[in-house]
Amino acid sequence: MKPIERVVIIMAMKQEAQPLIEEYSFHKLPKIFDVELPMEAYHIDKEGIDITIILNGRDRDFQLDSVATQPATLAAFLAVQHFKPDLIINAGTAGGFAQRGSEIGDVYVSNRYIRYHDRRIPLPGFDKYGMGNYPCINASKLANVLDMKLANVSTGNSLDITPTDLAIINIETPVVKEMEAAAIAWIAHLYHIPFMAVKSITDLIDNDQAVEEEFIENLAIASNNLKKKMFSIIDYLVGKSIEEL
Ligand code: SAH
C-alpha cells in the first residue's frame, strides 16, 4: 500500500490539455524527447507527487495534433522510459451514447478493461487479440467520491463509426468511444503499470448531429469539465496508494 509518487497523464490534443496546464501552472520540460518526435512534457510537483503531462504534440507534416493510437502508443512508451510512473492516466475527450445516459460534458472514469472496436481479425485467437481487452484499475471509489460516472472505454482509429464498429461497441454498456486509450493501456499492461482513462464527452453517437460538428462545438466545454475533474483527481491522489483509488 505504497503512496503514489509518480503519475504521467497522456493527452492527445493541446486544446484538451491547455486548461489543465494553465490552471495548475505546469511548466514545460525542455529537450526531454528526441527532436524528431512531436511529444511534449509538462511538469508539476503536487504535494510530493511528481506529475507529468505528455502531450502527443503536433504532427510535423499535417500541423495538427497527433491523435489516434499510433502516437498514443509512442507517448506511453516514452512515459515509461523517461518517468517510470506508478500510475498512467489517459485524459481526453470521447463520444458517448444519449440512450445510455451520457450528456455533453460528462466526465467518465474507465471501468474493467479497454477494448478496440476496429481491429477485426476473424481468425482463431486473433479475434480476441484484436479486441485487446487491456485492464484498467478499479477506480470506483474515486469515481464515487468525485461524482464521476464509470464506463467501458472503446478505442478505434476513426472519429466516425461503421455499423460493425457499433455492433462491437454495443457489447458493452455504459461505454464511451475514443481514439487512444487502448494503445496506452497496452503499454501500461506490458510494463505492469496501473492505468486509468478519464474521458469528457464532446459528442453523442446516437443523435442526428454529425460527429465532427458536435465535437468542434463542444470541445471547449468538455475540456473545461475535464480540467475540473482532473484537478479533483490530482488532489485525491495525494497520499493514496493505487489500492485506495
Ligand atoms: N476534427 C478534430 C479531430 C480530433 S480527433 C480536430 O482536429 O479538432 C478526436 C479526438 O477526440 C481524439 O483524440 C479522440 O480520442 C476524441 N474523440 C472525441 N469524440 C470522439 C468520438 N465520437 N469518436 C472517436 N474519438 C473521439
Side-chain angles (χ1 to χ4, degrees), residues 69 110-119 127-136 151-157 165-173 175-183 185-186 195 197:
T69 61
S110 54
N111 195 27
R112 292 170 59 219
Y113 48 77
I114 321 287
R115 162 175 287 179
Y116 278 112
H117 53 256
D118 67 350
R119 296 203 314 183
D127 49 356
K128 290 199 179 63
Y129 165 83
M131 283 186 169
N133 287 336
Y134 308 112
C136 57
N152 280 98
V153 176
S154 198
T155 303
N157 271 300
D165 291 352
L166 185 60
I168 295 170
I169 290 172
N170 275 339
I171 298 172
E172 306 293 348
T173 189
V175 63
V176 299
K177 168 182 176 281
E178 52 74 82
M179 300 173 70
E180 290 87 16
W186 173 58
F195 171 80

Side-chain angles (χ1 to χ4, degrees), residues 12-13 16 64 67-68 93-95 158-159 177-180 199 202-203 205 211 215-216 219:
M13 296 186 63
E16 292 167 345
L64 289 165
V67 301
T93 56
S158 301
L159 184 63
K177 168 182 176 281
E178 52 74 82
M179 300 173 70
E180 290 87 16
K199 298 281 162 172
T202 40
D203 52 274
I205 293 159
V211 60
F215 175 84
I216 290 165
L219 182 58

Side-chain angles (χ1 to χ4, degrees), residues 6-11 26-27 29 32-33 40-45 49-55 79 82-83 85 87 89:
R6 280 181 304 280
V7 178
V8 173
I9 302 167
I10 299 176
M11 302 184 77
F26 275 85
H27 64 271
L29 297 174
I32 280 276
F33 306 129
E40 299 171 1
Y42 295 80
H43 181 264
I44 53 163
D45 187 77
I49 312 188
D50 193 282
I51 302 181
T52 307
I53 294 178
I54 297 185
L55 253 188
H82 287 264
F83 302 105
L87 172 66
I89 301 176

Side-chain angles (χ1 to χ4, degrees), residues 48-207:
I49 312 188
D50 193 282
I51 302 181
T52 307
I53 294 178
I54 297 185
L55 253 188
N56 290 357
R58 275 176 95 69
D59 183 283
R60 189 170 59 204
D61 299 317
F62 298 95
Q63 295 299 313
L64 289 165
D65 289 315
S66 306
V67 301
T69 61
Q70 190 169 264
T73 309
L74 184 53
F77 183 70
L78 292 172
V80 175
Q81 297 295 308
H82 287 264
F83 302 105
K84 305 260 172 291
D86 304 317
L87 172 66
I88 298 177
I89 301 176
N90 172 217
T93 56
F97 290 85
Q99 280 174 16
R100 297 159 189 192
S102 290
E103 288 176 29
I104 301 296
D106 279 352
V107 185
Y108 283 87
V109 176
S110 54
N111 195 27
R112 292 170 59 219
Y113 48 77
I114 321 287
R115 162 175 287 179
Y116 278 112
H117 53 256
D118 67 350
R119 296 203 314 183
R120 297 179 292 277
I121 318 169
L123 294 169
F126 283 97
D127 49 356
K128 290 199 179 63
Y129 165 83
M131 283 186 169
N133 287 336
Y134 308 112
C136 57
I137 59 167
N138 176 356
S140 50
K141 278 187 241 121
L142 174 150
N144 199 15
V145 172
L146 303 180
D147 194 24
M148 296 166 76
K149 298 178 180 179
L150 289 166
N152 280 98
V153 176
S154 198
T155 303
N157 271 300
S158 301
L159 184 63
D160 68 357
I161 192 162
T162 67
T164 321
D165 291 352
L166 185 60
I168 295 170
I169 290 172
N170 275 339
I171 298 172
E172 306 293 348
T173 189
V175 63
V176 299
K177 168 182 176 281
E178 52 74 82
M179 300 173 70
E180 290 87 16
I184 300 166
W186 173 58
I187 298 287
H189 183 52
L190 284 179
Y191 285 95
H192 309 288
I193 297 172
F195 171 80
M196 68 189 269
V198 180
K199 298 281 162 172
S200 184
I201 302 301
T202 40
D203 52 274
L204 299 168
I205 293 159
D206 51 353
N207 67 5

Side-chain angles (χ1 to χ4, degrees), residues 207-220:
N207 67 5
D208 293 336
Q209 201 176 351
V211 60
E212 56 276 19
E213 258 175 38
E214 210 178 2
F215 175 84
I216 290 165
E217 203 173 293
N218 298 318
L219 182 58

